[in-house]
Amino acid sequence: MSLTARRLHRELPQCDHRPAPYAGPSREEILATRRAHCHPAIFTIYREPLLIVEGWMQYLYDDAGTRYLDLIAGIVTVSCGHSHPRVLARVKEQIDRLQHATTIYLHPNFPALAKRLTDKLPPGLDVVYFTNSGSEANEIAIAMARLYTGNEDVIALRNGYHGGTSGAMTLTSHSTWKFPLPPAGRVCHAVCPDPYRSPFRGTPEEIAVQSVADIRDLIRFSTPGKVAAFIAEPIQGVGGATHGAPGYLGRAYEVVREHGGVCISDEVQTGFGRTGEHFWGFENFAVTPDIVTMAKGIANGFPLAAVVTRMDIAKAFATRIHFNTYGGNPISMAAGLAVLDVIEDEGLQENARIVGGYLKEGLRALQARHRLIGDVRGMGLMLGVELVRDRNTKEPAKEETLELFEALRELRVLVGKGGFFGNVLRIKPPLCVTREDAEYAIEALDVALAGVS
Ligand SMILES: Cc1ncc(COP(=O)(O)O)c(C=O)c1O
């Protein structure tokens, strides 16, 4: 008997969607073809890899038609819901008319989405460059910052993730995600301001002050005294949905600007209403960046990313020809336009605030009962649960996290895993998740935790 049948008192919330019977190759056949022909760097999670063949809003279905509550949303990408009918309708309409032509011709979708995005940002952030991935967006943001300021050095944060291309990998600060290859330009990594694992002591505010002093020291001792940029995720995603230290970003931006740099907010995970209170992650910390990068939730899973900046900064990146074949693709643009409509019309940001708040409360209640939970954090539907063997030493509970991860799958709840030690459960569902889903998830986690601890 499965864990679900044995110990859970509730069922997954009702869902009217009926998945189509799956008639494709078996799990074993797919695995064998993958092993033979797909690059070994491409990995699966779970001891027995999961074959997912259909999705509907916050749910995913495997080849046997088993339904799962998806709390990781294609790695924080499916913002509106899997196969959201309005997104699909807009995309299908576009496919029937024109699939690709590039930005060398006029097309209504490309400037329309640029305008809609800039309308969502503070005045001055008026110009958009579309790319296909968050890594590319960060590459372009850094190139623009360097060209605009005439400086090379960049300050990024420890425990941050900014992508896997050469420049983005240089910005990333997890050794686990960095190949031993030459860096693409000079980047220093400042201490992450998250109080839970900060090397500094004191209140979160005191830790913020010391973390800003670390940026000043880096600029003094590791750069020529001038910098091109500071890049940070307002809440680190891959790093384990960290806390943002109160008062940190504003002071950090001041120091960087004093030294000639521009400030980049990597909103690849925190954008598009995910943090609940605000549309962009940086708004939670009352700062205005000079450049904003975004991807993932922007198009519900269609390949799209963007860099938004001021016209004066953008112009520094217009002194040579630069072209992106798929950037501005009419289909991705159609998806991006539909996503903005759905987030607005269906109140998804507000849902992230309410359901996220409810989930966080439930997770805090679990923390009071299960010693394995060292920390519960995050905003809206960007939550992290850090698991430790000992709350004083904060020894990462790596094996226990893996066990929990597997147990949750058995209970039909899919979560993400992150943090440098792989000991943080990442809960970042499609923004349409309901309170009933949250109740189910909390009970499933309670049962799974009881089994592990
Ligand atoms: C904060 C952040 N920035 C950049 C990236 C890179 O995006 P992509 O995988 O689309 O290149 C990611 C991907 O996880 C991310 O989480």
Side-chain angles (χ1 to χ4, degrees):
M1 198 194 289
S2 76
L3 264 173
T4 324
R6 215 172 39 219
R7 303 213 210 100
L8 266 183
H9 296 119
R10 60 176 88 228
E11 292 284 314
L12 261 182
Q14 217 41 47
C15 170
D16 293 338
H17 181 74
R18 293 286 161 268
Y22 175 70
S26 71
R27 212 178 129 272
E28 289 66 32
E29 285 167 324
I30 294 170
L31 251 184
T33 314
R34 254 181 88 132
R35 285 195 181 122
H37 300 292
C38 297
H39 194 284
I42 301 166
F43 58 91
T44 54
I45 53 174
Y46 295 117
R47 286 180 198 128
E48 295 289 327
L50 189 53
L51 171 54
I52 291 294
V53 295
E54 195 163 325
W56 178 254
M57 304 305 278
Q58 65 273 40
Y59 303 116
L60 288 170
Y61 298 84
D62 68 13
D63 49 326
T66 304
R67 181 160 59 103
Y68 298 85
L69 173 59
D70 178 14
L71 295 188
I72 191 62
I75 324 251
V76 209
T77 299
V78 180
S79 41
C80 302
H82 294 280
S83 299
H84 191 290
R86 286 180 67 189
V87 178
L88 292 195
R90 193 78 165 258
V91 165
K92 283 175 184 161
E93 186 185 61
Q94 184 55 51
I95 288 174
D96 287 340
R97 264 185 175 269
L98 177 71
Q99 183 214 331
H100 178 75
T102 84
T103 50
I104 60 173
Y105 305 115
L106 292 182
H107 189 276
N109 288 8
F110 164 58
L113 183 57
K115 163 94 175 67
R116 289 284 300 276
L117 287 174
T118 57
D119 286 348
K120 287 277 182 196
L121 282 155
L125 290 168
D126 290 334
V127 190
V128 184
Y129 195 111
F130 288 109
T131 66
N132 312 289
S133 69
S135 303
E136 267 183 288
N138 283 332
E139 296 270 349
I140 288 175
I142 296 297
M144 278 201 289
R146 285 180 170 145
L147 290 165
Y148 177 70
T149 61
N151 302 327
E152 180 181 343
D153 292 72
V154 174
I155 309 286
L157 290 187
R158 287 197 197 156
N159 197 46
Y161 182 85
H162 298 286
T165 53
S166 165
M169 193 188 290
T170 308
L171 300 172
T172 291
S173 107
H174 282 195
S175 52
T176 43
W177 291 98
K178 280 162 103 72
F179 287 109
L181 291 168
R186 287 198 301 262
V187 175
C188 301
H189 292 98
V191 160
C192 166
D194 180 350
Y196 189 68
R197 287 206 178 265
S198 175
F200 301 126
R201 292 282 158 266
T203 63
E205 288 75 14
E206 287 163 351
I207 287 173
V209 170
Q210 295 169 85
S211 306
V212 172
D214 184 57
I215 296 182
R216 204 180 273 286
D217 281 349
L218 272 182
I219 296 176
R220 270 189 195 139
F221 300 114
S222 303
T223 77
K226 286 273 176 200
V227 294
F230 169 76
I231 182 166
E233 305 159 80
I235 299 178
Q236 293 178 329
V238 173
T242 52
H243 293 273
Y248 172 78
L249 271 188
R251 291 195 190 99
Y253 277 24
E254 267 172 36
V255 171
V256 169
R257 286 173 175 151
E258 259 171 48
H259 293 86
V262 296
C263 299
I264 305 169
S265 189
D266 180 335
E267 296 284 337
V268 169
Q269 293 208 16
T270 47
F272 296 89
R274 178 155 294 279
T275 62
E277 289 285 346
H278 296 283
F279 196 80
W280 304 107
F282 66 78
E283 293 174 294
N284 294 293
F285 302 97
V287 294
T288 304
D290 306 294
I291 304 177
V292 177
T293 58
M294 57 194 77
K296 291 191 182 275
I298 189 174
N300 210 40
F302 287 90
L304 175 61
V307 190
V308 186
T309 191
R310 301 194 310 256
M311 185 60 93
D312 58 332
I313 297 175
K315 279 187 174 160
F317 194 67
T319 55
R320 297 288 187 281
I321 303 168
H322 195 269
F323 181 68
N324 192 301
T325 301
Y326 304 111
N329 172 283
I331 298 171
S332 302
M333 299 293 110
L337 286 162
V339 163
L340 289 177
D341 287 345
V342 169
I343 292 176
E344 280 168 20
D345 298 348
E346 298 183 9
L348 293 188
Q349 181 185 321
E350 178 65 356
N351 193 57
R353 188 182 70 77
I354 294 170
V355 178
Y358 178 74
L359 249 176
K360 192 169 173 185
E361 228 176 78
L363 295 170
R364 287 247 156 98
L366 291 183
Q367 184 181 19
R369 291 210 304 282
H370 297 279
R371 293 205 53 76
L372 196 61
I373 300 184
D375 196 27
V376 171
R377 56 197 181 227
M379 290 178 183
L381 287 172
M382 175 134 182
L383 299 172
V385 179
E386 177 147 1
L387 304 172
V388 292
R389 288 199 169 145
D390 179 318
R391 287 188 179 173
N392 294 319
T393 63
K394 298 182 182 170
E395 182 193 348
K398 290 189 226 172
E399 287 78 20
E400 293 85 343
T401 309
L402 266 180
E403 255 185 77
L404 205 54
F405 194 63
E406 296 284 343
L408 282 170
R409 172 203 173 154
E410 209 187 317
L411 297 167
R412 300 205 265 146
V413 177
L414 308 180
V415 295
K417 200 160 58 63
F420 178 74
F421 303 104
N423 67 323
V424 181
L425 295 180
R426 292 165 63 195
I427 298 176
K428 307 170 185 182
L431 304 181
C432 59
V433 74
T434 65
R435 186 181 165 111
E436 292 70 36
D437 294 317
E439 280 166 0
Y440 180 84
I442 290 162
E443 189 170 326
L445 191 52
D446 196 14
V447 167
L449 276 161
V452 170
S453 35

